[in-house]
Each structure stands twice: as C-alpha cells, then as structure tokens.
Amino acid sequence: MESIMSCSKHTGRIIEIVGPPGVGKSTIYNQLCNSWTADLNWIYQDELLASKPPVVLNFKKWLEDKARSYFGRKRAKSIPTDYGMRFIEHHQELANLCWSHFSDLREVESIHNCYRSTYHLFNDFCRYQAIVESAKIKPCIIEEGLLQKSFLVRSYKSSFSSFIDNYLDLLPLSHTIIYINTSDISTIVDRLTIRNKVIASHIGKDNRALSEDIFNWQQTFSKIIPVLESRNINIIEIDAQYTPQVNVKLIKQALSNLQ
C-alpha cells in the first residue's frame, strides 16, 4: 500500500514519519539516512543540524571527530533551548493549548506521564524551530515529531477528544507525512515482543494490551490523516508488511516526485 495524496508546494519544512509503535519507523528512518546523498531533494535531521567539523588546530577535538567518523558515528548537535522558546513565541496558542491540556490530564493521568509528555514536546519545539531556521531549503525528514505523541492517543480515548481537532488546527503545516501502518496488528505485536527498544508505556503489557495500544494508535491516525489530506499535505502511505528495504525504495521514489 503506497500512495501520494497530494504533490502541491508547501512552505512546511518537515517530512514526518509516523505510525503505530512497532511498524518499523526507526528502521526505515535509519535506512533512509544511511542511503542519503546530497543530490536528493530532501535532507535528514542529523545531517541538517550536525555541528561543523573541528579545525585541525584544535587537535584533540579534530582527532575525536575523525574517530567518530571512522566508526560511523555522526556528529550530533545539541539543540539549545532558545529554539524551543522561539517556537513558543511563534506558536503561542499551540503552546498554551498543550500546557492547559497537560494540566487537565493530571486529573486522569499520572504526573510522571504528564511531565514526560511535556519534556518530549518541548524537545520537538526545539528541533522544529532549528530546522525552520536552518539555511537549507530542502525539506527535512524526522522521526516521531509533533504528530507522533502519546497524549494524542490518550486524548482520543478520553473526554478530551476535541483537543486533537484544536491541536491540528494550531500545528505548523508539514511538507509531507510518511504514514507506516498495516492492518495485521499481530505482525506489529510480534515485532514489539522481540525488539530491543521498549517504550515506557509498553513495560509490563501482555500481547492483548499491546494489541489494544496499537489499535488505539491506528484509530488516532485514522482521525489525523484525513485532516492533513484536507489541507493538501503530501501523504505517503506505506505498508509495514513489506520489508524495510522495499519500503525505503518506495519512499525514496515517492519523495523524488514531490515538489
């Protein structure tokens, strides 16, 4: 299953990979990054925001950088919190909505979940703003951004479902959404039970609870994706039943056709 719903021009700079946990988002994202070349019409976050290589005059840092490069480790950039503050300045209504929502959620959620959600949300504010302010004009692929938020799933299940509509109304438009999913929930559960990466919300859950969580994610995206389509955002739908290699090829082909 692979389709592009729109190929119109956008001012958005973000290409976001989304989908239920376990569908292979990280694997596909990493393979896209590893196969990236400068002639492509998109870029990825680590390449865009990577710090500049140290000069040879600073021999110690230069040597460390060479060692990192030799072992295939990229130069990561720590994004200053000032970027997040500027994002909030530009999107005050969104920030206020989220803050109010987390305050309301404390009545039905643990304080740990609320603070964890707040922490990850602000990190996304930082990287979104850093991408927008970068000198590159190519759209940038990221994994799990402002649409891949567990508080959206919790809101879908609760009396706060109207929050999602308000959240999407205030969210800065993305360039493209890569939606990875499969109708076979058992395939996703099998992957979750054998993978090394474990997210906090899945600790201690059996297969039945994992299936319910995946279903809730799918239902949340079934609400989100049509809204994005109505705003003429490019949607690339990918079937997680295919191998990551096949899906990476499909995604790169689809991205090459985007304006």
Side-chain angles (χ1 to χ4, degrees):
M1 171 180 70
E2 181 271 321
S3 62
I4 302 178
M5 308 307 296
S6 172
C7 289
S8 58
K9 288 187 177 180
H10 292 279
T11 57
R13 298 285 306 282
I14 305 294
I15 300 174
E16 184 175 349
I17 298 177
V18 302
V23 292
K25 298 186 297 295
S26 295
T27 299
I28 288 175
Y29 174 76
N30 289 330
Q31 289 192 19
L32 284 169
C33 296
N34 291 335
S35 64
W36 181 84
T37 54
D39 61 317
L40 294 172
N41 62 341
W42 52 272
I43 197 167
Y44 62 98
Q45 179 181 324
D46 287 350
E47 178 67 24
L48 180 65
L49 302 181
S51 57
K52 295 180 179 180
V55 295
V56 71
L57 294 176
N58 190 340
F59 184 72
K60 182 179 179 180
K61 289 190 176 296
W62 178 85
L63 190 61
E64 289 176 352
D65 182 72
K66 290 299 179 182
R68 289 175 64 87
S69 177
Y70 178 80
F71 289 107
R73 298 176 60 189
K74 298 185 181 297
R75 293 188 303 274
K77 179 177 180 180
S78 177
I79 305 176
T81 58
D82 287 352
Y83 283 102
M85 300 308 295
R86 287 198 292 276
F87 181 96
I88 291 173
E89 289 177 4
H90 294 304
H91 304 280
Q92 290 186 11
E93 287 187 83
L94 175 63
N96 289 337
L97 174 71
C98 293
W99 187 256
S100 175
H101 181 64
F102 292 144
S103 298
D104 292 338
L105 276 180
R106 287 185 59 180
E107 298 180 7
V108 294
E109 292 280 344
S110 71
I111 191 171
H112 301 89
N113 283 341
C114 292
Y115 273 106
R116 183 167 58 240
S117 294
T118 305
Y119 169 79
H120 290 303
L121 182 66
F122 184 75
N123 281 341
D124 279 333
F125 286 176
C126 291
R127 61 174 174 156
Y128 267 61
Q129 192 64 28
I131 290 170
V132 168
E133 293 184 15
S134 67
K136 301 288 186 180
I137 61 173
K138 295 180 179 180
C140 178
I141 288 185
I142 66 170
E143 179 194 6
E144 299 189 351
L146 290 174
L147 290 172
Q148 189 79 30
K149 293 301 174 194
S150 58
F151 61 79
L152 295 176
V153 179
R154 297 197 295 272
S155 298
Y156 178 84
K157 294 168 54 181
S158 71
S159 60
F160 301 113
S161 60
S162 60
F163 166 78
I164 297 180
D165 295 324
N166 296 330
Y167 182 81
L168 293 176
D169 284 341
L170 297 174
L171 207 63
L173 288 179
S174 296
H175 181 283
T176 299
I177 300 299
I178 300 171
Y179 179 40
I180 306 172
N181 190 29
T182 179
S183 58
D184 186 1
I185 292 181
S186 63
T187 297
I188 306 177
V189 172
D190 290 342
R191 293 178 183 177
L192 287 174
T193 55
I194 63 173
R195 72 176 188 176
N196 294 324
K197 178 182 176 182
V198 180
I199 61 177
S201 61
H202 286 170
I203 295 176
K205 288 187 175 181
D206 57 18
N207 285 6
R208 180 177 179 180
L210 290 174
S211 296
E212 182 181 353
D213 184 68
I214 293 164
F215 175 77
N216 290 331
W217 274 99
Q218 291 176 330
Q219 291 298 107
T220 303
F221 282 120
S222 72
K223 178 181 180 67
I224 290 174
I225 295 298
V227 174
L228 302 179
E229 290 176 348
S230 70
R231 298 177 185 177
N232 294 321
I233 293 176
N234 303 313
I235 306 292
I236 302 173
E237 296 188 39
I238 294 295
D239 192 338
Q241 292 278 26
Y242 296 139
T243 66
Q245 292 78 12
V246 169
N247 280 333
V248 166
K249 183 177 180 181
L250 289 172
I251 290 170
K252 292 180 73 172
Q253 180 181 0
L255 291 176
S256 69
N257 295 325
L258 298 180
Q259 300 180 10

